[in-house]
Amino acid sequence: MEKILECNGLTKKYGNNLALNNLNLSVSKGRIVGLLGPNGSGKTTFIKLITGLLTPTFGDIAIDGMPIGVDTKKIVSYLPDHNFLAPWRSVKGMLDYFADFYADFDRSRAEQMLTSLNIDLKSKIKTLSKGNQEKVSLILTMSRRAKLYVLDEPIAAVDPATRDYILRTILTNYDSDATIIISTHLISDIETILNDVIMINTGNLVVADSVENIKEYTGKTIDEYFREVFRC
């Protein structure tokens, strides 16, 4: 399979603190990948490295065969774990911003999804409920025609109904040859949509394999296997 992401000897230090330790892994195109690990495992550092928000201390990262830089940022769509919406803008204003900033932004796709949710484009972001703000953020992210989507805790702070909508949106609004990396603690909610799993602990790679292989050699669900590996 063609690779969308390759990491060789990927290491990140913050002073004397080793956040990631010599990670060697690859992710194939057209896959939905769960990035799993306890708090402080290095997941957020890994995400910030592949999105170009941090630079490695050692090692290399390539996305679609290119080193991290302007060209990779053009093909990576990133949903951070915090609200990035400008509260003073309207929903339409956020659409305008994305359309100006990203050449691959599919505005008609975004407007169609927002309309289906009865979200008024004239509404100010600050007047929307938390759940609707989460939906707007996800719609903006998934409406780019990216090659790699990186979603950091997209379902952590929303109710079950919104969670279901988010998962449906992820599944139905990306091109089949694109790849999605989802970082989450809510493993049982997403494992049915995952093709592959990457597990990290204290900056070290624990496992990188397909869901099918993990279930076959452990006899457990991904959630059960995670609880066993990271038992306190």
Side-chain angles (χ1 to χ4, degrees), residues 2 43 48 55 60 62 73 100 102 146 162 184 199 223:
E2 249 188 301
K43 300 191 306 297
K48 288 183 176 180
T55 55
D60 302 302
K73 289 182 180 182
D100 286 344
Y102 299 109
T162 301
T184 185
M199 292 187 186
D223 186 52

Side-chain angles (χ1 to χ4, degrees), residues 166-182:
I166 287 172
L167 292 176
R168 286 198 307 273
T169 301
I170 290 170
L171 282 175
T172 58
N173 288 281
Y174 78 104
D175 297 328
S176 59
D177 60 344
T179 301
I180 302 176
I181 295 176
I182 307 174

Side-chain angles (χ1 to χ4, degrees), residues 135-223:
K135 290 172 185 175
V136 171
S137 298
L138 182 72
I139 287 169
L140 289 169
T141 303
M142 297 304 296
S143 292
R144 288 184 57 196
R145 297 286 185 178
K147 291 187 177 183
L148 176 62
Y149 298 88
V150 182
L151 313 179
D152 193 359
E153 295 290 351
I155 60 173
V158 295
D159 60 81
T162 301
R163 194 174 299 161
D164 290 343
Y165 172 81
I166 287 172
L167 292 176
R168 286 198 307 273
T169 301
I170 290 170
L171 282 175
T172 58
N173 288 281
Y174 78 104
D175 297 328
S176 59
D177 60 344
T179 301
I180 302 176
I181 295 176
I182 307 174
S183 172
T184 185
H185 290 103
L186 300 172
I187 301 166
S188 61
D189 288 294
I190 70 156
E191 72 169 272
T192 57
I193 74 171
L194 299 179
N195 302 123
D196 303 311
V197 166
I198 297 169
M199 292 187 186
I200 300 174
N201 192 27
T202 60
N204 294 284
L205 183 65
V206 176
V207 65
D209 206 344
S210 70
V211 168
E212 184 180 2
N213 285 345
I214 292 171
K215 287 182 175 180
E216 184 175 344
Y217 67 68
T218 67
K220 301 178 185 297
T221 67
I222 301 302
D223 186 52

Side-chain angles (χ1 to χ4, degrees), residues 8-168:
N8 296 296
L10 185 61
T11 301
K12 180 64 180 178
K13 290 183 176 181
Y14 299 105
N16 293 323
N17 180 35
L18 187 61
L20 285 180
N21 182 29
N22 195 36
L23 260 63
N24 296 290
L25 62 88
S26 62
V27 174
S28 297
K29 293 183 177 180
R31 309 289 282 180
I32 301 179
V33 183
L35 177 62
L36 312 177
N39 289 330
S41 61
K43 300 191 306 297
T44 298
T45 295
F46 180 68
I47 285 173
K48 288 183 176 180
L49 287 167
I50 65 178
T51 53
L53 297 175
L54 291 174
T55 55
T57 307
F58 306 109
D60 302 302
I61 316 169
I63 294 178
D64 206 22
M66 301 178 289
I68 301 296
V70 173
D71 289 332
T72 62
K73 289 182 180 182
K74 291 177 182 177
I75 61 172
V76 175
S77 189
Y78 171 45
L79 178 67
D81 63 349
H82 58 273
N83 188 350
F84 66 85
L85 302 174
W88 63 88
R89 291 185 189 270
S90 64
V91 176
K92 178 182 177 299
M94 288 304 306
L95 292 173
D96 293 340
Y97 176 81
F98 263 63
D100 286 344
F101 207 76
Y102 299 109
D104 62 357
F105 183 64
D106 187 338
R107 185 173 189 134
S108 62
R109 174 196 272 183
E111 289 181 348
Q112 183 179 4
M113 285 192 282
L114 290 165
T115 299
S116 72
L117 292 171
N118 296 315
I119 295 177
D120 188 349
L121 301 188
K122 298 189 293 293
S123 296
K124 295 288 187 183
I125 296 297
K126 63 185 177 183
T127 68
L128 299 178
S129 67
K130 182 175 178 60
N132 277 345
Q133 289 188 34
E134 295 278 354
K135 290 172 185 175
V136 171
S137 298
L138 182 72
I139 287 169
L140 289 169
T141 303
M142 297 304 296
S143 292
R144 288 184 57 196
R145 297 286 185 178
K147 291 187 177 183
L148 176 62
Y149 298 88
V150 182
L151 313 179
D152 193 359
E153 295 290 351
I155 60 173
V158 295
D159 60 81
T162 301
R163 194 174 299 161
D164 290 343
Y165 172 81
I166 287 172
L167 292 176
R168 286 198 307 273

